Amino acid sequence: MPNRPDSGRAAPVVVTRPLQQAQAFASRVEALGRQAEIFPLLAIEPVDDPSELQAVLGRLEDFALAVFVSPNAIDAAFRCLGAWPAGVPIGIVGEGSRAALRAHGVDERNADIFAPQGDGKMDSEELLKALPLARLRGGRVLVVRGQSGRDFLTEALQEQGVTVEHVTAYRRLAPALDERNRARLLALADHGADWVVTSSEALRNLIEMTRLAGGDDRVVKLQRQRIIVSHHRIAQTAQSLGFCAVILAGSGDERLLAALQSSP
């Protein structure tokens, strides 16, 4: 059975998003009456040399579409941009990216934005279905991402006769395991928590950080805790890493919050 707090109170909810996106979701968790613990499992850092990013963004008009893989990609790009150029469509995956665009003054009123439709999955496969492939054939698409990423969209677009160019906008790193983080992680492993995880890479960092902080015994305790994830690929990663209480909530904050409300 998953570890629960000794006092019978609801387990704390660990928000594992990068610090840049964690607080807004933590506030919504606390609005449900749950205790939120912000413990990022990914650190987002600027690229060492932004000159390539700046150069590519300086010729956005060359592209039939610019795809941002995450809110972090949007934020990093707009640090190099004054305004989004008219006539360049944008592709995004999730509602977090839509909110990031709005924060930079870009929405459907001043840009064509393509995103997964309806209430289904929010991923590259669903974005591909929403793209105007006939218009993109023979053109160039820019993918703005971290230092690496899945190749599904790139390969699928290339199969459709689209030239794809990538640019690295930020770096994803495992957080430093300093004394404060080590103590917090061990306390969460010992006393039980519900972990909200939206990245397979973050899950792998969690296992490695826990092993470094407290050894295999703490990893076993962690694997018994509830993991709430946003995508079936992350659920598969969690199961492959030995987690036994994996809840697939679905994409978007509303589904994640609903899963927390239904948790005992």
Side-chain angles (χ1 to χ4, degrees):
M1 294 291 292
N3 290 352
R4 314 311 301 158
D6 296 335
S7 66
R9 293 181 292 107
V13 176
V14 187
V15 180
T16 65
R17 290 174 175 173
L19 193 58
Q20 295 88 332
Q21 285 89 45
Q23 186 57 62
F25 186 75
S27 296
R28 298 191 68 183
V29 169
E30 293 187 337
L32 300 178
R34 300 288 298 271
Q35 175 191 349
E37 292 276 352
I38 294 177
F39 192 90
L41 293 176
L42 287 172
I44 304 300
E45 299 289 344
V47 293
D48 292 330
D49 182 0
S51 58
E52 180 185 3
L53 176 62
Q54 292 167 345
V56 171
L57 294 175
R59 54 182 180 87
L60 280 171
E61 291 85 353
D62 293 347
F63 297 97
L65 176 74
V67 175
F68 293 98
V69 301
S70 67
N72 292 308
I74 292 169
D75 291 340
F78 274 85
R79 283 195 287 270
C80 302
L81 285 171
W84 189 255
V88 180
I90 298 171
I92 57 173
V93 173
E95 290 305 308
S97 291
R98 194 181 299 276
L101 285 174
R102 284 198 300 268
H104 294 287
V106 178
D107 58 26
E108 288 78 2
R109 295 171 297 180
N110 53 24
D112 289 332
I113 300 175
F114 296 97
Q117 300 299 303
D119 296 327
K121 295 184 297 182
M122 298 287 184
D123 57 18
S124 297
E125 288 88 341
E126 293 301 312
L127 173 59
L128 181 69
K129 296 176 185 177
L131 293 178
L133 294 176
R135 283 166 42 192
L136 297 177
R137 288 189 186 101
R140 301 180 68 84
V141 167
L142 175 67
V143 177
V144 185
R145 64 183 189 179
Q147 72 269 37
S148 62
R150 293 184 66 226
D151 289 326
F152 168 81
L153 187 63
T154 295
E155 294 172 0
L157 288 172
Q158 290 172 338
E159 289 173 359
Q160 294 292 326
V162 180
T163 300
V164 181
E165 184 172 336
H166 303 97
V167 64
T168 299
Y170 62 95
R171 297 180 297 148
R172 296 186 309 274
L173 306 172
L177 190 61
D178 56 24
E179 282 304 310
R180 179 174 180 272
N181 276 348
R182 180 180 182 277
R184 291 182 67 206
L185 183 54
L186 293 180
L188 289 167
D190 287 340
H191 300 299
D194 290 343
W195 297 76
V196 179
V197 183
T198 54
S199 161
S200 291
E201 185 177 0
L203 266 179
R204 289 188 285 268
N205 287 345
L206 175 59
I207 288 287
E208 182 61 21
M209 291 172 69
T210 304
R211 182 170 286 113
L212 290 172
D216 289 340
D217 289 345
R218 270 3 193 283
V219 171
V220 171
K221 286 186 175 183
L222 181 72
Q223 289 166 330
R224 294 172 180 164
Q225 297 180 18
R226 186 178 285 109
I227 304 290
I228 299 168
V229 303
S230 57
H231 196 278
H232 67 89
R233 280 193 299 273
I234 308 172
Q236 291 168 353
T237 299
Q239 290 159 355
S240 73
L241 291 172
F243 289 99
C244 54
V246 182
I247 298 172
L248 175 56
S251 302
D253 288 359
E254 297 301 332
R255 288 186 176 85
L256 293 168
L257 293 165
L260 287 172
Q261 285 181 294
S262 63
S263 299

